[in-house]
């Protein structure tokens, strides 16, 4: 690990105190000049570092740069060795992971970007991904045996992972709109896009990429006009919890839920946090719209809708909206 990465790791681990150049140099076994060079390099990369005479260096409270060091610091031990890549800008984190999966990258790889030029949503939609205000990440899974049989549940599990993480880190209470959106204070704060790549000959799923996009802060210029009545953000004004903390919390939850997909225990939270169960909905599983009442989430994550004629229909894919009567 480079001196710069080691310095950042120490600063992340000691956010509540200052570390002198001498302390850093002694801990890493390098010169104070090497520490000074590393700190300046971090500043050039956008890290906000306070330097106070006779006190030392400290990450500023408003520092919110995504970093492997900051994320890994809060990952559970079992996931510490998973690869974390962070980019300033990519076309789509899902696309980056899919390309790297073809090159043989291992399960657990996570790719994050400060900005996406072509963020992907469901049904070919774009996901608004401005610089430095969101969490745009994708995670690689390579399912085998039991996981492969239950991989249909991974999007449902990811929604629960986001909700649990937001509750733990920020004390907020988000809800889930079937199947892949997370809402907070009545507005969408997260979308999830899962893409699978299958072996052509066997038809077996080789890799699964789970893309998670979270609106963390409201962009300075606000949301585009077409999103202003829909989109919200996790953090309110003055909330200074670093994005690294929420990323780590989401990953901890997601990795753990993936290992236990077959148990389906997370479905209890999915149902509890659903914002559609018990409500009248308009739904589409094809080219036409129908009306009914959302009555349950089945054990495979499907939405059970009681149609107007009294029959139940289970939706595996499709779109729903709350019905305005």
């Amino acid at each position: 690990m480079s001196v710069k990465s080691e310095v950042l790791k120490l600063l992340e681990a000691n956010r509540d105190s200052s570390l002198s150049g001498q302390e850093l140099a002694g801990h890493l076994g390098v010169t104070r000049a090497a520490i000074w060079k590393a700190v300046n390099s971090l500043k050039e990369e956008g890290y906000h570092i306070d330097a106070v005479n006779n006190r030392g260096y400290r990450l500023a409270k408003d520092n919110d740069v995504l970093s492997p060091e900051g994320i890994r610091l809060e990952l559970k031990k079992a996931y510490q060795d998973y690869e974390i890549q962070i980019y300033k800008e990519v076309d789509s984190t899902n696309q980056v992971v899919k390309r790297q999966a073809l090159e043989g990258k291992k399960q657990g790889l996570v790719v994050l970007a400060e900005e996406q030029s072509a963020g992907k949503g469901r049904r070919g939609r774009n996901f608004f991904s401005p610089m430095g205000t969101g969490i745009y990440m994708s995670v690689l899974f390579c399912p085998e045996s039991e996981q492969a049989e239950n991989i249909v549940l991974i999007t449902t599990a990811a929604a629960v992972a986001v909700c649990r993480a937001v509750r733990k880190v920020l004390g907020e209470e988000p809800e889930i709109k079937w199947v892949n959106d997370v809402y907070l204070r009545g507005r969408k704060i997260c979308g999830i896009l899962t893409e699978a790549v299958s072996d052509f000959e066997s038809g077996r799923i080789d890799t699964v990429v789970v893309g998670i996009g979270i609106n963390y802060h409201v962009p300075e210029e606000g949301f585009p006009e077409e999103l202003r009545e829909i989109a919200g953000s996790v953090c309110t004004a003055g909330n200074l919890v670093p994005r690294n903390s929420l990323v780590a919390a989401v990953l901890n939850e997601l990795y753990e839920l993936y290992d236990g997909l077959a148990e389906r225990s997370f479905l209890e939270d999915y149902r509890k946090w659903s914002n559609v169960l018990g409500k009248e909905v308009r739904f589409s599983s094809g080219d036409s719209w129908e009306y009914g009442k959302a009555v349950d989430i089945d054990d495979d994550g499907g939405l059970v809708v009681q149609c107007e004629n009294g029959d139940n229909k289970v939706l595996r894919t499709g779109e729903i909206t709350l019905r305005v009567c």
Side-chain angles (χ1 to χ4, degrees):
M1 187 179 290
S2 68
V3 174
K4 181 176 68 175
S5 293
E6 291 284 5
V7 168
L8 179 57
K9 182 179 179 181
L10 287 170
L11 292 176
E12 286 280 10
N14 294 274
R15 276 182 169 265
D16 294 331
S17 59
S18 297
L19 297 173
S20 70
Q22 188 62 47
E23 286 179 298
L24 291 167
H27 188 88
L28 299 179
V30 299
T31 64
R32 292 184 65 177
I35 298 299
W36 179 85
K37 183 178 179 180
V39 168
N40 281 327
S41 180
L42 288 169
K43 288 181 177 179
E44 290 174 0
E45 292 180 11
Y47 291 90
H48 298 175
I49 300 175
D50 294 330
V52 181
N53 288 337
N54 301 319
R55 294 182 63 184
Y57 303 106
R58 179 177 180 175
L59 281 177
K61 289 185 177 181
D62 66 348
N63 181 78
D64 193 27
V65 179
L66 293 170
S67 71
E69 294 82 2
I71 295 167
R72 194 167 277 115
L73 192 68
E74 301 187 48
L75 284 179
K76 294 180 179 178
K77 186 176 181 180
Y79 316 130
Q80 287 280 325
D81 293 334
Y82 287 158
E83 185 174 359
I84 301 173
Q85 300 177 7
I86 298 178
Y87 299 87
K88 285 293 184 184
E89 181 182 350
V90 298
D91 51 356
S92 156
T93 57
N94 267 30
Q95 290 298 104
V96 173
V97 171
K98 285 196 291 184
R99 289 193 288 264
Q100 295 200 33
L102 293 174
E103 297 169 0
K105 284 293 185 179
K106 297 180 179 180
Q107 177 165 293
L109 166 70
V110 57
V111 169
L112 296 107
E114 290 284 2
E115 182 177 13
Q116 295 182 117
S117 60
K120 299 175 67 177
R122 292 182 71 227
R123 297 180 174 252
R125 300 187 183 103
N126 292 328
F127 188 88
F128 182 57
S129 313
M131 173 65 75
T133 65
I135 293 172
Y136 320 121
M137 70 176 177
S138 297
V139 186
L140 175 64
F141 294 101
C142 304
E144 295 182 5
S145 61
E146 193 171 88
Q147 276 88 1
E149 295 174 6
N150 296 283
I151 200 63
V152 67
L153 289 163
I154 191 64
T155 302
T156 307
V160 171
V162 171
C163 287
R164 288 180 178 177
V166 171
R167 279 170 161 77
K168 287 180 180 179
V169 175
L170 295 156
E172 298 282 358
E173 297 185 354
E175 298 177 319
I176 301 168
K177 176 176 177 285
W178 185 89
V179 58
N180 68 326
D181 292 335
V182 178
Y183 276 63
L184 182 62
R185 307 179 206 101
R187 291 175 179 263
K188 179 179 174 179
I189 55 128
C190 172
I192 299 165
L193 176 66
T194 301
E195 297 183 283
V197 179
S198 301
D199 179 85
F200 181 77
E201 293 184 358
S202 67
R204 184 178 68 85
I205 294 177
D206 277 346
T207 59
V208 173
V209 180
V210 178
I212 299 173
I214 300 174
N215 301 328
Y216 202 63
H217 298 289
V218 177
E220 285 188 14
E221 67 279 11
F223 290 106
E225 186 174 351
E226 65 273 17
L227 298 178
R228 285 176 190 166
E229 299 301 318
I230 303 170
S233 65
V234 172
C235 291
T236 55
N239 194 322
L240 299 177
V241 177
R243 287 177 294 164
N244 288 329
S245 295
L246 184 59
V247 170
V250 171
L251 291 175
N252 282 332
E253 295 288 346
L254 181 59
Y255 290 142
E256 185 173 341
L257 288 177
Y258 173 77
D259 290 337
L261 279 180
E263 299 171 11
R264 289 167 162 73
S265 59
F266 58 89
L267 285 171
E268 180 180 348
D269 281 346
Y270 193 93
R271 296 183 182 104
K272 180 171 60 178
W273 295 332
S274 170
N275 67 358
V276 300
L277 289 185
K279 297 179 181 178
E280 299 293 327
V281 297
R282 185 180 72 142
F283 64 93
S284 169
S285 56
D287 296 329
S288 60
W289 288 94
E290 300 179 60
Y291 296 92
K293 182 178 182 179
V295 294
D296 197 7
I297 304 291
D298 74 8
D299 286 343
D300 290 319
L303 181 67
V304 181
V305 178
Q306 185 179 63
C307 301
E308 291 182 314
N309 63 5
D311 294 338
N312 283 352
K313 178 178 288 190
V314 180
L315 306 182
R316 300 294 176 199
T317 62
E319 298 276 317
I320 69 166
T321 60
L322 293 181
R323 185 177 182 183
V324 180
C325 300

